[in-house]
Amino acid sequence: MAAGIREKQTVALKRMLNFNVPPVKNSTGEPVWKVLIYDRFGQDIISPLLSVKELRDMGITLHLLLHSDRDAIPDVPAVYFVMPTEENIDRMCQDLRNQLYESYYLNFISAISRSKLEDIANAAIGANAVTQVAKVFDQYLNFITLEDDMFVLCNQNKELVSYRAINRPDITDTEMETIMDTIVDSLFCFFVTLGAIPIIRCSRGTAAEMVAVKLDKKLRENLRDARNSLFTGDTLGAGQFSFQRPLLVLVDRNIDLATPLHHTWTYQALVHDVLDFHLNRVNLEESTGMESTPAGARPKKKNKKSYDLTASDKFWQKHKGSPFPEVAESVQEELESYRAQEDEVKRLKSIMGIEGEDEGAISMLSDNTAKLTSAVSSLPELLEKKRLIDLHTNVATAVLEHIKSRKLDVYFEYEEKIMSKSTLDKSLLDMISDPDAGTPEDKMRLFLIYYISSAQAPSEIDLEQYKKALMDAGCNLAPLSYIKQWKAFTKMASAPTSYGNTTPKPLGLFSRVMNTGSQFVMEGVKNLVLKQQNLPVTRILDNLMEMKSNPETDDYRYFDPKMLRGSDSSVPRNKNPFQEAIVFVVGGGNYIEYQNLIDYIKSKQGKHVLYGCSELFNATQFMKQLSQLGQK
């Protein structure tokens, strides 16, 4: 795991695109030109990992969706990367019959069944194309890696494994089995790619336990089949040398419903909360200014811009977990240092009277121009820097508009106080009734956090008063009716989760940089500094990874798929603390929890943690699921 999962999945994809042969380093030969055919699942897996340029470097001239209209390209090999579904298999058989390509490399994201393989074989025989089907591979790549240490199970059809799907009151046993099998299939693929057999811990009586039982069984069966095991020999890569196995902690979303509703204060989580951000791409609507349009004319269309926030973006990597005010300040500093460098190039050029000269002429001048040449040669780097500054200026400005118009700093601070049981300087009713603070959804999120976090539910009289204020503010009360049922149910099961007892410290106004000629006018926005406190998921991980005894996790079940006989116990055989762990949330996760885990592990020398979830949602998407569950 020392090599992040992103790297391992990228290597597997590159190998697949190279006809399942590891790409040779430093080979001077041209790559073989080929076509990549994927379905939506394949597209979602590839897009956060490989750019169009990288695909082209690997010889991919065209990448097309399986179910789009495609013309025949008879002298080119095609690499397919699709889920083994009925519709996909039918379409591939059709491609074989239509003889679209020279040869076919069929890669399945998840393992294909025997009967479906036979369908393809029959189609190939029927189309007289047996020799053209070059290879058929199960890739075991059915998960999406977003960061070195974060993955989600799916983006397409995620409602099939959503929080709502798992917690529907009318769900049948067979539907539940299907959902669990889908989750287990992806987790199995994840561990095949990681090349490690985990030790599994999970809470009892939850969906997480169902996943644990099935995953343990699936890993065990694969290990028992010595000839075809996916965990032996070369597939393990460096994995077989690590003496310590990773810990897999399976938790259920229901252990903490407050965090996904929480207003947040770090850059990445804010972008996900207030902007359209998925699969590492953010879509912004550019405001076209306040130009007056003549009466009756159509309003101007807003320009849409998309930006990729990837691992190669150094600013993003450095600041995605920082509190927003720090990010705004850093963008400003980057901008100023860029301007200084840009002015230096212009100044040197003008001194030598060659403003308009091309680079070739410059380099021919004598060597007292070395300084200038180095300034000019750093231009490409400068332009890239400028691109990133523009990108983050635009993204941060869009986030700032939301913070100001909805008073998100006030909400964040207030919710932190509620969750840490601190004294509140303003009553909850005042917050809900304030017409200037936040959208109806913001108010509902705030009230739900209060309702979930309070040890004693408000009395019926108080609740009616809150409900009236919420309705006057235009809130939809459906999520509340679900949370009431959930709270009544968990009361029987356990006490409410505690969230630590520290609140963020406000620092006076922004530092000097921010107030003089800054792009970011931060007037009236609080500069809150976060104090590190562990969220419930991080606390559970800490207990299990460090082998601490704690009533919260003492009865967690323990599975070791390598043991010949599965024994049901909560007594771990392994007594040493773990160095590597994967936390997986069944029922959906979010960037707040991810960031909290990353901050926690930074203080632990030499330890690694990965965060995964069945789907990644922001508060709006989660609220929507809660209101569907709460509708009568």
Side-chain angles (χ1 to χ4, degrees):
M1 227 172 88
I5 186 65
R6 185 194 329 234
E7 191 186 324
K8 292 201 170 180
Q9 198 176 19
T10 308
V11 166
L13 284 172
K14 286 185 169 172
R15 182 184 187 140
M16 174 191 86
L17 295 174
N18 202 39
F19 306 127
N20 288 298
V21 185
V24 184
K25 288 261 164 70
N26 311 329
S27 62
T28 46
E30 278 285 296
V32 179
W33 298 114
K34 47 198 168 282
V35 183
L36 171 63
I37 311 291
Y38 46 40
D39 59 1
R40 295 256 177 230
F41 289 93
Q43 188 179 26
D44 285 348
I45 292 167
I46 292 172
S47 74
L49 296 177
L50 297 172
S51 65
V52 174
K53 181 188 176 303
E54 287 171 294
L55 288 176
R56 195 160 298 129
D57 291 344
M58 298 206 62
I60 302 292
T61 46
L62 272 177
H63 37 96
L64 303 163
L65 280 166
L66 176 66
H67 291 282
S68 59
D69 293 331
R70 289 174 282 119
D71 298 326
I73 312 176
D75 48 356
V76 171
V79 175
Y80 284 74
F81 184 51
V82 296
M83 286 293 271
T85 60
E86 289 289 341
E87 312 81 66
N88 286 353
I89 303 283
D90 290 349
R91 187 60 192 257
M92 290 160 87
C93 294
Q94 194 183 317
D95 288 358
L96 287 170
R97 284 192 287 273
N98 296 343
Q99 306 220 325
L100 290 189
Y101 308 109
E102 176 192 58
S103 54
Y104 302 82
Y105 292 80
L106 309 181
N107 297 282
F108 295 101
I109 296 172
S110 189
I112 183 171
S113 66
R114 178 77 192 240
S115 63
K116 286 179 181 157
L117 261 181
E118 287 168 0
D119 293 344
I120 295 176
N122 291 333
I125 291 166
N128 211 355
V130 176
T131 50
Q132 288 162 287
V133 178
K135 283 180 181 173
V136 181
F137 264 88
D138 289 334
Q139 290 293 352
Y140 295 101
L141 290 174
N142 189 13
F143 58 95
I144 300 170
T145 307
L146 296 176
E147 303 282 343
D148 287 338
D149 41 21
M150 180 187 196
F151 68 101
V152 297
L153 295 198
C154 56
N155 184 49
Q156 299 298 323
N157 304 359
K158 61 182 172 190
E159 60 283 351
L160 299 179
V161 294
S162 66
Y163 178 81
R164 175 179 173 250
I166 296 170
N167 290 282
R168 268 179 29 225
D170 56 347
I171 189 166
T172 64
D173 286 355
T174 26
E175 286 171 323
M176 194 63 161
E177 288 284 318
T178 311
I179 294 172
M180 295 299 124
D181 287 339
T182 310
I183 293 176
V184 167
D185 177 66
S186 285
L187 280 173
F188 181 74
C189 290
F190 170 82
F191 283 108
V192 172
T193 305
L194 194 63
I197 305 274
I199 283 168
I200 306 170
R201 302 293 306 268
C202 69
S203 50
R204 291 177 184 270
T206 59
E209 183 180 28
M210 297 163 78
V211 171
V213 171
K214 281 180 175 284
L215 181 63
D216 175 59
K217 181 169 179 257
K218 189 161 180 144
L219 287 166
R220 198 177 287 279
E221 283 168 358
N222 188 268
L223 285 169
R224 198 173 295 145
D225 180 2
R227 272 190 333 207
N228 300 321
S229 174
L230 296 159
F231 293 97
T232 51
D234 64 340
T235 51
L236 275 183
Q240 70 231 49
F241 300 115
S242 75
F243 295 110
Q244 242 219 337
R245 289 161 56 197
L247 168 72
L248 169 64
V249 179
L250 287 166
V251 292
D252 195 285
R253 180 71 274 158
N254 280 319
I255 61 151
D256 172 16
L257 291 186
T259 301
L261 296 168
H262 189 14
H263 287 87
T264 172
W265 200 233
T266 56
Y267 191 25
Q268 185 176 37
L270 266 168
V271 169
H272 189 232
D273 190 12
V274 302
L275 304 177
D276 172 14
F277 177 57
H278 56 277
L279 297 185
N280 294 351
R281 168 168 289 187
V282 62
N283 299 309
L284 290 184
E285 280 197 350
E286 290 203 314
S287 49
T288 45
M290 300 300 289
E291 295 155 33
S292 55
T293 43
R298 282 186 177 172
K300 281 196 172 171
K301 265 195 169 171
K302 286 190 169 180
N303 290 339
K304 282 219 160 187
K305 277 214 151 172
S306 288
Y307 299 109
D308 288 319
L309 298 172
T310 59
S312 58
D313 178 339
K314 294 206 173 55
F315 186 88
W316 177 246
Q317 287 307 91
K318 187 175 174 189
H319 293 291
K320 64 185 182 194
S322 308
F324 184 74
E326 277 180 32
V327 175
E329 203 166 310
S330 301
V331 174
Q332 191 62 33
E333 283 166 9
E334 290 277 321
L335 190 58
E336 281 162 18
S337 84
Y338 165 76
R339 281 182 183 147
Q341 282 171 291
E342 194 183 36
D343 291 346
E344 178 68 356
V345 172
K346 282 183 186 154
R347 192 178 67 80
L348 285 166
K349 276 186 157 186
S350 67
I351 288 171
M352 303 176 67
I354 48 170
E355 272 114 322
E357 296 288 334
D358 65 359
E359 256 73 290
I362 293 170
S363 58
M364 284 158 68
L365 293 168
S366 67
D367 66 15
N368 65 353
T369 61
K371 207 170 162 193
L372 178 63
T373 320
S374 78
V376 172
S377 65
S378 63
L379 270 178
E381 203 178 301
L382 267 181
L383 291 173
E384 174 60 10
K385 196 170 180 182
K386 173 88 167 77
R387 185 186 73 80
L388 290 180
I389 293 168
D390 288 347
L391 183 162
H392 288 287
T393 303
N394 291 344
V395 172
T397 306
V399 170
L400 182 60
E401 280 169 15
H402 280 276
I403 292 177
K404 287 173 128 175
S405 64
R406 291 162 53 186
K407 296 197 176 169
L408 297 184
D409 50 338
V410 180
Y411 275 96
F412 166 71
E413 189 181 23
Y414 200 89
E415 288 164 9
E416 287 274 312
K417 284 181 176 168
I418 289 176
M419 289 161 85
S420 59
K421 313 270 186 289
S422 310
T423 46
L424 304 173
D425 46 6
K426 188 176 179 182
S427 86
L428 189 60
L429 267 176
D430 288 349
M431 280 286 287
I432 294 169
S433 314
D434 179 352
D436 297 332
T439 59
E441 187 186 88
D442 290 325
K443 296 177 183 198
M444 196 67 205
R445 281 163 67 177
L446 173 70
F447 182 71
L448 289 177
I449 288 174
Y450 161 73
Y451 192 86
I452 291 165
S453 307
S454 55
Q456 208 56 49
S459 67
E460 279 305 313
I461 300 166
D462 287 353
L463 191 59
E464 284 310 313
Q465 205 179 354
Y466 283 127
K467 277 183 166 175
K468 183 180 180 314
L470 288 164
M471 283 175 74
D472 291 346
C475 300
N476 166 12
L477 295 185
L480 179 60
S481 56
Y482 173 73
I483 294 289
K484 272 180 81 172
Q485 295 163 12
W486 169 82
K487 185 126 181 171
F489 178 73
T490 43
K491 203 169 192 121
M492 300 185 301
S494 65
T497 319
S498 68
Y499 291 87
N501 53 4
T502 51
T503 49
K505 291 270 181 292
L507 290 182
L509 266 173
F510 274 92
S511 66
R512 195 177 36 76
V513 183
M514 297 307 300
N515 297 331
T516 50
S518 162
Q519 298 233 232
F520 299 97
V521 184
M522 289 287 202
E523 288 296 307
V525 175
K526 294 186 176 184
N527 186 3
L528 299 165
V529 175
L530 299 165
K531 281 195 77 175
Q532 180 56 34
Q533 56 186 34
N534 289 344
L535 291 173
V537 167
T538 308
R539 269 209 319 276
I540 289 168
L541 171 81
D542 180 49
N543 292 340
L544 296 171
M545 203 170 174
E546 301 295 341
M547 291 291 173
K548 294 177 182 171
S549 175
N550 186 307
E552 198 175 13
T553 49
D554 280 350
D555 71 333
Y556 267 47
R557 289 186 66 179
Y558 177 93
F559 296 91
D560 182 349
K562 278 194 172 175
M563 300 297 290
L564 282 173
R565 282 187 302 283
S567 61
D568 174 24
S569 79
S570 50
V571 183
R573 289 166 175 272
N574 173 5
K575 293 282 182 277
N576 299 327
F578 286 88
Q579 294 304 307
E580 299 176 341
I582 297 108
V583 177
F584 186 82
V585 188
V586 180
N590 53 71
Y591 282 112
I592 309 175
E593 235 159 34
Y594 162 67
Q595 194 54 52
N596 195 253
L597 277 172
I598 299 309
D599 292 341
Y600 156 80
I601 212 75
K602 274 180 193 159
S603 62
K604 307 278 175 194
Q605 199 88 39
K607 298 203 170 195
H608 301 279
V609 67
L610 279 168
Y611 177 74
C613 48
S614 45
E615 63 163 331
L616 188 64
F617 46 49
N618 61 18
T620 307
Q621 294 154 341
F622 188 48
M623 287 278 282
K624 194 172 166 191
Q625 294 191 32
L626 293 179
S627 54
Q628 288 168 330
L629 285 164
Q631 279 158 359
K632 294 285 182 283

